[in-house]
Amino acid sequence: MKDIFLDLLFPDRCLDCSKIIESNLIVCNMCFEKIQFTHFDYFGENILKEICKTLFPVENAYALIQFEKESVSRKIIHELKYKNREKTGEILANWVTERIDFKNSKPDLIVSIPLHKKKLKERGYNQLHLFAETLSEFYNIPFDHKVILRSSYSKAQALKDKKHRLNTGNLFSMNKNISGKHVLLVDDVFTTGNTIATAAWEILKTGNNKVSVLVMAIDK
């Protein structure tokens, strides 16, 4: 009864136009049409895979949406990361499942880019966990968010200039030994690629592993 009362007083609204929407949505139907999906082929060639190949050996790569300035796509990611809208991760994952069929070539393990424990405490959640868990359940691929640890604390990528985004240093370390696995490495926004490359190399150098990449958005 309490939830019904709260829904009446504070209904869910489209994050773009503020129209009242169902609780399982983040944008209305009209604003959904504004979302810039990439239409990438996970198994084919695309700009994300091309960039990744210059940074580390990659099997496949996929980005769901374009992270354009002043776009609905950017608003969606910012709601997820900075506005306590963790549920958005599940919605984004559902959009992925509508677009990727792994067929007989699905990865062995899903691994998400971790937050530093201080950042995790500040935010209260890792914006990738519900996203990865939803993918894991749908595709029946194990998900482990403790494979990699973030070694250093830094401010959000969105607040950094390009010079500092390139400076990843010893950003990650392996927390678990894995070998002979095809890892699907997931992140929110792909910008320079240095963060995900640093994580990928940690996975690649620990054993006879392979890495594919799946990101919510690409900023290119």
Side-chain angles (χ1 to χ4, degrees), residues 43-205:
F43 293 104
E45 297 299 316
N46 55 65
I47 187 172
L48 176 59
K49 185 176 181 180
E50 290 175 8
I51 297 172
C52 286
K53 284 194 295 187
T54 68
L55 301 170
F56 60 93
V58 65
E59 301 299 312
N60 305 293
Y62 180 85
L64 177 65
I65 57 179
Q66 299 282 356
F67 194 67
E68 299 290 344
K69 194 172 183 179
E70 304 300 327
S71 67
V72 178
S73 300
R74 183 179 287 261
K75 288 180 181 179
I76 290 171
I77 300 298
H78 280 199
E79 285 286 316
L80 170 64
K81 294 182 68 173
Y82 309 120
K83 299 293 183 65
N84 201 32
R85 291 281 294 269
E86 186 180 10
K87 184 76 173 176
T88 301
E90 180 180 3
I91 295 171
L92 288 166
N94 288 333
W95 292 349
V96 170
T97 63
E98 294 169 359
R99 291 163 174 80
I100 296 180
D101 181 357
F102 287 118
K103 300 175 184 176
N104 297 320
S105 301
K106 70 180 182 180
D108 303 307
L109 180 67
I110 297 174
V111 173
S112 58
I113 296 294
L115 294 177
H116 188 269
K117 58 184 179 180
K118 182 178 178 181
K119 179 67 69 63
L120 183 60
K121 186 176 180 180
E122 289 174 355
R123 186 171 294 171
Y125 63 97
N126 183 317
Q127 70 274 9
L128 294 170
H129 285 182
L130 188 54
F131 177 76
E133 288 166 5
T134 304
L135 294 174
S136 172
E137 182 177 354
F138 181 87
Y139 291 116
N140 193 26
I141 302 172
F143 164 53
D144 193 333
H145 68 272
K146 295 183 178 179
V147 169
I148 307 173
L149 292 179
R150 188 178 286 262
S151 308
S152 59
Y153 174 82
S154 62
K155 64 184 180 180
Q157 288 285 320
L159 302 178
K160 294 180 181 180
D161 57 30
K162 185 174 181 179
K163 177 181 177 181
H164 289 91
R165 289 184 187 186
L166 294 171
N167 183 21
T168 53
N170 297 319
L171 189 57
F172 303 108
S173 61
M174 294 296 290
N175 188 47
K176 294 183 179 181
N177 291 323
I178 57 173
S179 182
K181 299 293 185 182
H182 180 184
V183 175
L184 182 63
L185 190 58
V186 301
D187 200 4
D188 45 36
V189 181
F190 186 96
T191 50
T192 64
N194 285 276
T195 296
I196 207 160
T198 305
W201 277 114
E202 290 297 323
I203 294 169
L204 290 166
K205 72 184 183 183

Side-chain angles (χ1 to χ4, degrees), residues 1-7:
M1 188 68 180
K2 182 180 178 180
D3 290 340
I4 295 174
F5 184 68
L6 288 174
D7 286 344

Side-chain angles (χ1 to χ4, degrees), residues 29-46:
N29 291 334
M30 289 186 66
C31 291
F32 179 82
E33 298 300 322
K34 301 178 188 176
I35 298 173
Q36 297 163 302
F37 289 98
T38 64
H39 305 293
F40 285 175
D41 177 3
Y42 171 80
F43 293 104
E45 297 299 316
N46 55 65

